[in-house]
Amino acid sequence: MAKKYVVVDLETTGNSPKKGDRIIQFAAVVIENGKIVEEFSSFVNPLQPIPAFIEELTGLRDSDVKDAPLFPEIAGKVSSLLKDAYFVAHNVLFDLGFLQEELIMAGEEAFSGPVLDTVELARFMDPEADSYKLADLAEKEGLSHDRPHQADSDAYVTAELLLLYTDRIQRLPEKVLTKLASLAEGLKSDLHLLLNKIALSKSDTNLPDELVSVNGIVLKKQQATRKTDKEYSNHYIYPYSLEEKLALIEKPQLESRAGQFEMMDEVFHSFENGTHALIEAGTGIGKSLGYLLPAAYFAKRHISRVVISTHTIQLQEQLLVKEIPLLEQIVPFPIKTALLKGRNNYISLSKFAKSLEEENDNYDTALAKMQILVWLTRTVNGDKDELNLSSGGRLYWNTIRNEKDSLSVSNPWDEYDFYKRAKRNAADADLLITNHALILSDLETDGAVLPEYSYAVIDEGHHFEKAAGKHFGVRLDYLGTRLAIGQFGLFEQRQLFYKAEKAIRNLPHRDKVISQAKLNELVSGAIVEMDEFFRLAIAYTEKGRNRNSLKRLKAGLSETRNKKEWEALKHAAGRFSFFLKDLHSAANAMMGLVKGLNSKDSFGLASSLAAFLSEIDMLRNSIGAFFSSGEGFVKWIETDLRAPQNTTELIAMPVSVANEISENFFMEKKSVVLTSATLTVNKSFRFSLEGLGIDPKYVNLLSIPSPFDYKENVKLFITTDLPEINSVPQEEYIAEIAGRIVSICDAAKGRLLVLFTSHDMLKKTYELVKESGLLSEYALIAQGITGGSRSRLTRSFQKYEKAVLFGTNSFWEGIDIPGEGLSCLIVVRLPFSPPDEPYTKAKCELIERRGGRPFSEFSLPEAVLRFKQGFGRLIRTGTDRGAIVVFDKRLGESSYGRAFLDSIPSVAIRKADIDQVVEDIENWL
């Protein structure tokens, strides 16, 4: 780094200097020859009050800048610092744009040199980072950042990041650097200058020992697959007695838990005896280790693989990062663990290599390629979940993901294929971690997806029935359909069609494929019919909709409802399917010619065409299945009128999957242990057993209560004075909720999670609370509004001392905020599914036809299990304490309220009006 780099950060009164916003603090850190040689910072008097939200964000007040110089007084110093330098900032376009305006107004020349953005730099040099906010990157790299959002502290940390990343760039192989530099020309800042400079200075072109170059792509070397030790050993004898277990568990200083030991014994005995088990394990049992330890002993002792299935990626990560390493410390023998996901999660190296030859990348694609180039020098899994891609980057991933093809051609990348390696590792594993969807795919393909197994643990088991319903059903969404056709594209869009046409244009048998012009017409026609089909689907959902109803629509589909619209939709589906059939024939003929080229370059193209043909087949099958699936299936259309092109989806699902799961899974496997924190309703497993089609005579049932002292540490309040939701206008009801949230938040000093059953109500409540300004000192974080995944929103919530998190759907479970991170939980409404929701309606009609009682057999138990999940968010460790406030007075007044209360641990319950509740919370917390 021989040249001068000036790292700049500004604090301002707002985002737009053209609208009168001004700088309140300027800071610069000068780097020369790879070292920080100068620092300069100054408060700046903006000649206007600092807005409250800027004061809250930065901690800077009017008193800090009252006697500070005006910007023109420091403008000369700023210009001299920037002379002949690279201008560097975190989100450089903001700082540079703002500073240029101030320099010009002060009579100085605008900066015209090269600029570097450390956000762009971080994105490709740290492609696995959860977040690219300055504070998050500093924390990840262990850099001291004591005053975030103050210019001097931010500038210094940004300078440290620049030095750290440039040092890492210098260690990258020349092959990687050269490609990065070329791609960086498509970025917003001048990082290609830095990359070229470092690439030219590299004298050593040899690869480090841990890397290997394959067909021009640099990869991390993979360890050879270790064969599992098959030899029997006394180490594999399960520790039956309490003393033996304690001797093991105390090795890593784990808290010994009686409930956990009880679970271990049940899992081991179920495997040994070849019986199934349902185990409800309350919060704090240590469920993961409760099944991993006996599964490990059983797998080693009987040389028999055990499959561990989860519903969420978060739990898979927790098992791999935290629980498996712990298990390895405990058991006195080596254990082989593998993770296997669906094929599309893994990169196709041949497709990626081919894509690097293409030019005219858009910004997101260029950046994604850079991220992947660096990532491939580190990853051993090749799994997209390791990457933090932008939405545009995720679209690019769809063009390079690993897909099944029907080619018999030898693949030059086979030896390094990540998916095939994952399959090999899975075949040799003692414990194989996967997900519910893959287990169900394996059932559907008669064991073609997973290696053979007879023993399984289904964690997050309360999701298994719903996952099976989705898997055995059909989903047709506009975005996915458009992407599938878009990857072939019109000729002028330079996608697969263009590439294949270029490859076969001069072949003697080109006339075996329809002409370029006719094929273009065919693609164009397919796109028109696709748009018309989904337009009619949206029109169907809008039919009979109340003008004031929600923008998110869900309409049940049947031949007798909206008959005219149904017929139009069915005819459109037929036309669209015919176009897809003709497109498939043309692309198939094209692929035949491409395969005949028999060159290294043609393999990737033929593979992409084969994958496209497979997607078109699936699309046609889905359309056929959707309109042919009859009794026993429920069909509906979902859309959001604010963005129908991204949200419209047609869904068909079996109303019951009990027979399929029972016959194809439970009756086929020797032993399946299904576990969750929520499997019983009012101490009974009946609801879970019926959904899974399991006869209670052939399954062991065990419910292990949480070891936590809920009576001492939790108070549950039921407010008695909120009006019934249907007795007042919606605006009035939401205003009441918002007011109560504000009052409780003040009493609990933040650390508040508010659970809704409706996203529309969440959004309106959040907006009202925000607009009121009554919680201006709190960070308000809302699912679907603030932006980011569930885990990212949860991390944001935990960072602030004063925060409120508004959540719905997925936030009722799976988020873990231990200790003082969460002190109060608000449940706005009991989580009943709306009775007119298509799946709920179909399920209730089925029960009614059988002579059952839909409410007590389905609606109530489903809501109770969801309520139990929400309740479980509050207390995550033995020392946690907190308050739960339920606004829905049905909990305390209705005849079925007891089913909810009897299904959760015994807690102190208080029914009172909101004023009394607020006072009690304030006194208690």
Side-chain angles (χ1 to χ4, degrees):
M1 292 184 72
K3 199 169 168 63
K4 178 179 170 189
Y5 298 82
V6 178
V7 183
V8 171
D9 193 82
L10 311 175
E11 302 305 333
T12 64
T13 59
N15 294 326
S16 175
K18 289 193 183 331
K19 291 181 180 172
D21 290 323
R22 291 289 171 264
I23 293 173
I24 55 175
Q25 190 183 19
F26 171 88
V29 176
V30 182
I31 296 172
E32 289 187 66
N33 299 316
K35 291 198 174 93
I36 293 171
V37 296
E38 185 181 352
E39 294 176 59
F40 172 76
S41 72
S42 174
F43 289 126
V44 179
N45 189 335
L47 298 176
Q48 59 183 262
I50 296 174
F53 77 97
I54 295 291
E55 194 176 293
E56 175 66 24
L57 181 72
T58 64
L60 300 179
R61 292 170 170 68
D62 291 331
S63 57
D64 295 318
V65 298
K66 185 174 61 134
D67 300 322
L70 302 177
F71 186 79
E73 294 174 51
I74 64 165
K77 171 68 174 173
V78 171
S79 288
S80 70
L81 283 171
L82 294 175
K83 188 172 168 51
D84 300 325
Y86 277 80
F87 185 103
V88 186
H90 203 69
N91 192 7
V92 74
L93 296 183
F94 171 80
D95 294 273
L96 180 61
F98 215 108
L99 195 59
Q100 298 284 44
E101 292 282 340
E102 290 274 22
L103 285 169
I104 291 164
M105 283 192 291
E108 295 285 337
E109 281 188 26
F111 177 79
S112 58
V115 298
L116 302 181
D117 187 356
T118 49
V119 174
E120 286 187 330
L121 183 57
R123 285 197 80 92
F124 71 82
M125 283 308 296
D126 200 353
E128 306 96 336
D130 284 335
S131 159
Y132 295 104
K133 288 180 180 171
L134 187 60
D136 295 339
L137 289 169
E139 185 183 341
K140 183 175 183 290
E141 299 297 345
L143 303 175
S144 174
H145 190 205
D146 53 347
R147 287 175 293 108
H149 300 295
Q150 291 203 9
D152 53 343
S153 180
D154 284 358
Y156 196 86
V157 165
T158 306
E160 288 184 299
L161 282 174
L162 176 67
L163 290 169
L164 189 138
Y165 289 136
T166 47
D167 180 55
R168 288 179 190 169
I169 289 170
Q170 286 163 4
R171 292 199 294 252
L172 285 173
E174 187 196 15
K175 280 182 181 177
V176 176
L177 271 174
T178 307
K179 285 192 175 86
L180 287 175
S182 171
L183 287 162
E185 290 182 22
L187 300 185
K188 290 169 186 169
S189 68
D190 300 310
L191 280 160
H192 64 284
L193 298 176
L194 177 67
L195 290 163
N196 270 319
K197 192 168 153 187
I198 295 173
L200 289 169
S201 69
K202 278 191 89 72
S203 54
D204 181 13
T205 56
N206 294 326
L207 287 176
D209 287 343
E210 70 272 12
L211 299 178
V212 61
S213 178
V214 183
N215 301 327
I217 303 286
V218 178
L219 305 171
K220 184 179 176 70
K221 275 184 188 166
Q222 307 296 315
Q223 289 181 336
T225 303
R226 176 181 64 79
K227 290 291 174 193
T228 304
D229 171 24
K230 305 290 187 190
E231 189 181 322
Y232 184 85
S233 161
N234 289 333
H235 289 313
Y236 305 161
I237 297 171
Y238 178 73
Y240 285 99
S241 73
L242 180 62
E243 290 75 18
E244 287 173 314
K245 288 193 188 73
L246 286 171
L248 279 180
I249 298 295
E250 282 171 2
K251 278 185 194 169
Q253 287 77 49
L254 272 182
E255 185 183 343
S256 60
R257 300 155 172 164
Q260 187 182 60
F261 294 161
E262 191 182 355
M263 181 173 180
M264 287 176 181
D265 289 346
E266 184 59 59
V267 173
F268 190 76
H269 290 146
S270 294
F271 284 163
E272 283 282 314
N273 299 327
T275 57
H276 302 315
L278 261 62
I279 304 176
E280 181 178 69
T283 309
I285 290 296
K287 175 163 55 78
S288 301
L289 199 59
Y291 60 70
L292 285 173
L293 187 136
Y297 271 94
F298 180 83
K300 295 295 280 188
R301 186 172 185 179
H302 295 278
I303 315 171
S304 186
R305 178 181 306 106
V306 177
V307 169
I308 312 286
S309 177
T310 75
H311 182 62
T312 59
I313 290 167
Q314 285 96 328
L315 183 53
Q316 282 185 354
E317 286 173 356
Q318 183 188 317
L319 290 176
L320 287 165
V321 174
K322 184 182 168 192
E323 308 293 350
I324 297 291
L326 195 57
L327 176 71
E328 287 170 342
Q329 288 180 54
I330 294 171
V331 295
F333 48 78
I335 183 148
K336 175 90 187 293
T337 307
L339 171 69
L340 185 63
K341 295 185 180 180
R343 188 172 199 142
N344 288 354
N345 285 276
Y346 300 90
I347 191 170
S348 162
L349 290 170
S350 60
K351 288 183 185 178
F352 177 61
K354 187 76 182 158
S355 80
L356 288 175
E357 296 168 16
E358 295 162 11
E359 295 176 2
N360 306 316
D361 290 332
N362 62 33
Y363 176 79
D364 283 333
T365 300
L367 190 53
K369 285 180 178 180
M370 294 175 76
Q371 288 181 287
I372 291 167
L373 279 166
V374 174
W375 171 65
L376 286 173
T377 66
R378 303 174 186 172
T379 183
V380 294
N381 301 315
D383 173 4
K384 80 160 191 289
D385 289 326
E386 296 173 355
L387 285 164
N388 184 351
L389 297 169
S390 66
S391 54
R394 288 194 292 274
L395 289 178
Y396 167 67
W397 176 272
N398 290 333
T399 68
I400 59 161
R401 66 191 182 188
N402 205 313
E403 291 173 299
K404 188 177 180 183
D405 60 51
S406 53
L407 300 176
S408 55
V409 188
S410 169
N411 182 345
W413 293 93
D414 258 1
E415 190 185 338
Y416 301 93
D417 186 279
F418 286 105
Y419 176 64
K420 287 179 178 167
R421 183 184 295 121
K423 291 266 284 186
R424 288 195 296 271
N425 288 339
D428 193 45
D430 302 311
L431 300 181
L432 172 58
I433 297 169
T434 187
N435 55 50
H436 298 352
L438 224 57
I439 278 206
L440 294 159
S441 292
D442 190 61
L443 299 186
E444 204 172 32
T445 56
D446 291 327
V449 177
L450 299 176
E452 191 179 338
Y453 70 100
S454 298
Y455 302 89
V457 175
I458 308 295
D459 200 347
E460 299 177 302
H462 60 287
H463 282 294
F464 196 60
E465 182 194 353
K466 275 259 172 81
K470 285 178 183 175
H471 189 81
F472 296 132
V474 176
R475 291 178 101 83
L476 264 172
D477 68 290
Y478 180 75
L479 199 57
T481 307
R482 192 180 71 189
L483 283 172
I485 297 173
Q487 64 180 295
F488 190 74
L490 292 160
F491 182 78
E492 57 270 21
Q493 289 172 327
R494 295 175 165 246
Q495 297 300 313
L496 261 180
F497 175 10
Y498 171 82
K499 292 168 197 168
E501 178 62 36
K502 260 179 69 179
I504 66 170
R505 181 173 285 164
N506 299 318
L507 294 180
H509 305 299
R510 168 65 186 84
D511 57 355
K512 286 185 177 177
V513 182
I514 60 173
S515 71
Q516 178 189 311
K518 282 189 176 172
L519 187 46
N520 223 29
E521 276 180 33
L522 187 54
V523 176
S524 182
I527 292 167
V528 168
E529 291 299 344
M530 172 190 70
D531 285 339
E532 176 64 4
F533 172 63
F534 281 99
R535 187 190 68 76
L536 288 168
I538 294 163
Y540 186 96
T541 60
E542 287 191 283
K543 179 76 173 174
R545 178 179 78 97
N546 184 316
R547 190 173 289 180
N548 298 321
S549 64
L550 309 180
K551 296 291 182 188
R552 290 183 173 212
L553 302 179
K554 192 184 271 194
L557 203 61
S558 75
E559 296 184 44
T560 54
R561 181 178 178 269
N562 300 345
K563 201 163 177 54
K564 185 179 161 191
E565 285 77 10
W566 164 263
E567 288 300 326
L569 185 62
K570 201 171 177 182
H571 287 312
R575 291 194 303 275
F576 181 34
S577 189
F578 275 122
F579 267 92
L580 290 176
K581 183 184 176 189
D582 290 346
L583 182 56
H584 186 282
S585 298
N588 195 35
M590 216 170 213
M591 187 182 74
L593 293 181
V594 170
K595 279 169 72 176
L597 293 169
N598 207 17
S599 68
K600 193 175 109 175
D601 287 345
S602 67
F603 174 82
L605 183 55
S607 179
S608 295
L609 282 166
F612 169 69
L613 290 169
S614 175
E615 284 208 52
I616 295 300
D617 272 336
M618 284 191 332
L619 260 179
R620 290 193 68 231
N621 290 340
S622 294
I623 292 168
F626 187 85
F627 286 94
S628 63
S629 56
E631 198 177 336
F633 273 76
V634 54
K635 304 172 192 174
W636 70 93
I637 303 170
E638 290 182 19
T639 191
D640 189 325
L641 297 179
R642 289 165 293 197
Q645 68 278 14
N646 293 329
T647 56
T648 304
E649 196 171 18
L650 288 84
I651 299 155
M653 246 172 81
V655 182
S656 170
V657 290
N659 287 340
E660 284 87 343
I661 298 176
S662 175
E663 289 173 16
N664 299 320
F665 187 53
F666 288 103
M667 288 174 76
E668 290 293 318
K669 302 302 173 190
K670 289 180 182 172
S671 176
V672 176
V673 174
L674 193 134
T675 184
S676 165
T678 51
L679 290 175
T680 66
V681 176
N682 204 0
K683 315 289 188 291
S684 167
F685 282 94
R686 181 180 164 184
F687 181 69
S688 297
L689 288 167
E690 286 177 354
L692 296 164
I694 306 175
D695 188 326
K697 288 189 297 221
Y698 304 114
V699 62
N700 300 329
L701 303 173
L702 177 64
S703 182
I704 309 172
S706 169
F708 299 155
D709 189 348
Y710 282 89
K711 261 203 179 308
E712 271 299 308
N713 294 335
V714 177
K715 289 201 174 182
L716 188 148
F717 298 92
I718 305 169
T719 62
T720 55
D721 57 342
L722 184 71
E724 293 288 345
I725 191 166
N726 297 323
S727 67
V728 293
Q730 194 191 50
E731 293 76 18
E732 192 179 320
Y733 187 80
I734 286 168
E736 280 281 351
I737 290 171
R740 286 157 190 258
I741 290 169
V742 169
S743 301
I744 292 168
C745 188
D746 279 339
K749 303 291 184 285
R751 320 308 318 143
L752 197 67
L753 171 62
V754 189
L755 293 177
F756 291 80
T757 54
S758 150
H759 188 272
D760 188 63
M761 190 179 286
L762 178 154
K763 184 173 182 290
K764 287 174 179 171
T765 307
Y766 165 80
E767 285 169 352
L768 197 57
V769 170
K770 193 169 186 187
E771 284 165 16
S772 74
L774 294 169
L775 295 180
S776 58
E777 65 199 276
Y778 292 84
L780 303 179
I781 300 160
Q783 181 188 3
I785 299 168
T786 311
S789 65
R790 177 177 68 174
S791 51
R792 196 166 294 175
L793 291 176
T794 307
R795 279 196 299 273
S796 297
F797 173 72
Q798 288 174 282
K799 273 177 196 153
Y800 294 99
E801 224 167 274
K802 292 183 166 185
V804 183
L805 177 57
F806 297 77
T808 182
N809 300 332
S810 60
F811 275 79
W812 282 77
E813 62 176 289
I815 64 166
D816 195 355
I817 308 169
E820 292 179 5
L822 180 66
S823 56
C824 188
L825 170 72
I826 293 176
V827 173
V828 175
R829 303 264 302 149
L830 291 176
F832 285 102
S833 294
D836 58 348
E837 194 271 330
Y839 179 77
T840 301
K841 193 177 175 187
K843 196 85 175 170
C844 291
E845 285 170 357
L846 178 68
I847 293 167
E848 213 164 338
R849 284 198 299 275
R850 290 176 182 161
R853 294 173 299 168
F855 180 77
S856 59
E857 289 180 35
F858 178 72
S859 300
L860 179 61
E862 185 196 46
V864 168
L865 289 179
R866 206 160 165 224
F867 181 76
K868 284 176 74 172
Q869 286 286 346
F871 178 90
R873 297 315 95 214
L874 186 65
I875 301 296
R876 306 303 296 170
T877 72
T879 56
D880 288 3
R881 64 198 297 271
I884 298 178
V885 184
V886 181
F887 288 165
D888 195 333
K889 55 188 179 186
R890 289 179 296 177
L891 183 63
E893 294 178 359
S894 67
S895 57
Y896 54 79
R898 285 283 2 140
F900 289 89
L901 297 173
D902 290 345
S903 298
I904 59 174
S906 183
V907 295
I909 298 171
R910 176 135 161 74
K911 300 177 193 175
D913 61 35
I914 188 63
D915 293 338
Q916 190 60 58
V917 167
V918 167
E919 190 182 323
D920 283 4
I921 288 174
E922 199 162 20
N923 292 336
W924 194 55
L925 289 178

